[in-house]
Amino acid sequence: MPILHWLTRDADIHDAARVPYRLLEEAPDLSTGDPDAGNMLIQGDNLEALKALLPFYAGQVKCIYIDPPYNTRSAFEHYDDNLEHSKWLAVMWPRLEILREFLADEGSIWINIDDEESHYLKIIADEIYGRKNFIVNCLWQKRTSPDGRINMGDAHDHIFVYGSQTTRNSLNNLPLTEEQRSSYKNPDEDLRGPWVSTDFTAQGYRPNQMYEIVTPAGVRYSPPEGRCWANVEETFRQLCNQGRIWFGKDGKSRPRVKNYLSEAEGVKSWSWWTNREVGHNQEAKKEVNALFGASNAFDTPKPERLIQRILHIATNPGDLVLDSFLGSGTTAAVAHKMGRRYIGIEMGEHAVSHCVPRLNKVIDGEQGGISKSVGWQGGGGFRFYRLGPPVFDEEGHIRSDISFSVLAAHVYFSETGHPWRGHTASPFLGLHDGRAYALLYNGILGDKGNVLTRATLAVIRQEIAHKDTNFAGPLTIYGEQSRLTPATLAQQNIVFKQTPYDIKAHI
């Protein structure tokens, strides 16, 4: 597979590992609505924010959509889009690498880009996500007419989609449009309702699908040259008996299969998305102008219908969506209206000036964008966070004021590579691949302290038994110190790790 080289590649591909884990600190005055809705808006550098989220959300995200700076050498008010190719690649590599760790088994990432860096992006994305996991390059027709300022002006953006084979099998069909629904008719008053017909032939030659068909009016048909019937004769007879074959009003036409509106499961998407279907730049501009006024609008928004199309294909209600280049907040707004959970990350001040007020309007029931088409009436909520201090000090040791839940998440993620989904009432963190994990820290056992003794071990064993009464595997315990002898630890199949010294910053 081709590998792209640039000036600082050797350093850039290790940047994600060097980023410190930071705390996320909520700003309650900027949070709105239901705090338990599962939605987060984060202000701060997206690489550091992603690293902070990783111990909690690795492998949990169903859809990642990002619209990174296009490197168009243009000056935008809200961010610097004037980066040399090497600098742009240096920005993108570690972010794409860490985003990969958030994807669920059925998850997909959708990357919106234009021609300026699209080919470079495709090569590094192939390397990071695997070329076999490239699904499609969607072409979004973003303009309504040619750019009168230049010849051969671009009319489209690329949206690269990556996901596993499991992802491919889980993508949703698109709902029928009103125009598509209107094509269903019922000329024979079929009790199953309106239908459309499709050709009853298939390409190629299959001996058991080459029989002769006689229509109700006595006309005889064989498959056309180079084709065969779509099914074997027995299946054809069953379809006829069920009234699912159409020979035309006079019974003389070549057979066609009836497909009923009541049974329609939508249509498969393809890679060409017209502005009529999913919106365009002018539509997006009108949406943000309506929200913020023309003098305070965002420079490069995306239309809500475009994000709706992506989330409809890639997710279901309740799934988690992540956008780490949130911009004016379109992805979060659309996810909110569609009943998806979301995490949005934006570095600039417009996290406060645009994203927060936009989501507040959504919660209040604003009726712009896709609101009417999805029946949006308002509700829900989100929590607003900023990046806090690093979890680890300059020497790589845990900060003394870190809470149990934060340290537990980092310990469990460092040991298993999976997010911690436990609670803070127990030192037992969980089981993974036949091993148990526990943490004695911050007075989790009250007067018993943070030291491994026979008494604290008994509590841990009891908590493990509540989860699995037959567990007899190895146990890793983190604590300030152990008062059990090495022989006892070995006999009990326990690995003891001392805090803070055995917890490093670069886990």
Side-chain angles (χ1 to χ4, degrees), residues 210-228:
M210 301 300 295
Y211 49 92
E212 184 179 67
I213 289 178
V214 181
T215 75
V219 180
R220 298 178 179 273
Y221 287 103
S222 295
E225 184 176 354
R227 300 184 71 81
C228 60

Side-chain angles (χ1 to χ4, degrees), residues 126 215 221 261 296 377 404 485:
D126 279 351
T215 75
Y221 287 103
L261 178 61
N296 193 35
Q377 297 296 319
F404 177 89
T485 66

Side-chain angles (χ1 to χ4, degrees), residues 159-194:
I159 304 177
F160 294 131
V161 186
Y162 286 83
S164 66
Q165 185 59 49
T166 304
T167 302
R168 295 171 187 265
N169 297 333
S170 68
L171 297 177
N172 297 317
N173 291 345
L174 297 175
L176 297 176
T177 65
E178 286 304 315
E179 181 179 350
Q180 290 167 333
R181 294 174 67 88
S182 67
S183 65
Y184 286 76
K185 308 295 183 182
N186 195 358
D188 59 347
E189 298 183 356
D190 193 311
L191 294 179
R192 282 165 288 214

